[in-house]
Amino acid sequence: MEQYSFIERVKTSFQYLVDDYGFSIANERYDPQSFGNSLVEFRSETTAIRLILDRSQVLVDLGPISWNPNSWFSLSSVMEFLAPEAGESAYVFPETWESYYDMIDWQVNRLAHILRRYCSLVLTGQFDAWEELERRRRKEAENGYKVLTGKDFPKKGNVGRAA
């Protein structure tokens, strides 16, 4: 039996990024000591797309290549911004599946389809609303902080200081 490779499955399912949109593979990692967690990162002249296998969940992050990868956005955030009418969730994590590898393949194939269907502006490098997405993320964080603590979100200079 051939050994399963998340990286090879991603390369196959997301080959359209290379063929149709000018992306290339910038990074790939496999960590057998951490449950087989893996990462594949594609880059174009403007955009980075990172697929992560974290235990049994496949996740997609995207953002401008000039930004720190820790500031990129989840596929679900970008999809909600670009296609709020879609009515479908970016992520579906099956709880039971006969074969672990079939479950991972299903997620990879589904995410490849969703990215292509809803995020064409990002793939073509024409998406210019990253800052707006960041403002929305910050506003959501501020609102969540207020709900949890009953306080306003600290201003940048006041983080970690007593009020």
Side-chain angles (χ1 to χ4, degrees), residues 14-29:
F14 287 82
Q15 183 63 38
Y16 70 87
L17 293 175
V18 175
D19 295 343
D20 300 341
Y21 297 100
F23 282 79
S24 60
I25 294 176
N27 190 8
E28 56 185 66
R29 286 197 310 255

Side-chain angles (χ1 to χ4, degrees), residues 70-90:
N70 293 330
S71 296
W72 293 347
F73 298 90
S74 70
L75 176 59
S76 59
S77 295
V78 175
M79 189 174 136
E80 287 168 16
F81 184 82
L82 290 173
E85 74 289 346
E88 101 178 273
S89 176

Side-chain angles (χ1 to χ4, degrees), residues 26-82:
N27 190 8
E28 56 185 66
R29 286 197 310 255
Y30 168 71
D31 187 354
Q33 278 70 44
S34 295
F35 307 100
N37 291 350
S38 301
L39 172 146
V40 180
E41 184 179 314
F42 295 88
R43 286 183 175 244
S44 70
E45 291 181 13
T46 60
T47 308
I49 300 172
R50 178 177 54 198
L51 283 99
I52 302 160
L53 173 61
D54 185 356
R55 299 184 193 195
S56 64
Q57 297 181 344
V58 181
L59 307 167
V60 179
D61 293 331
L62 355 111
I65 60 170
S66 60
W67 286 24
N68 181 320
N70 293 330
S71 296
W72 293 347
F73 298 90
S74 70
L75 176 59
S76 59
S77 295
V78 175
M79 189 174 136
E80 287 168 16
F81 184 82
L82 290 173

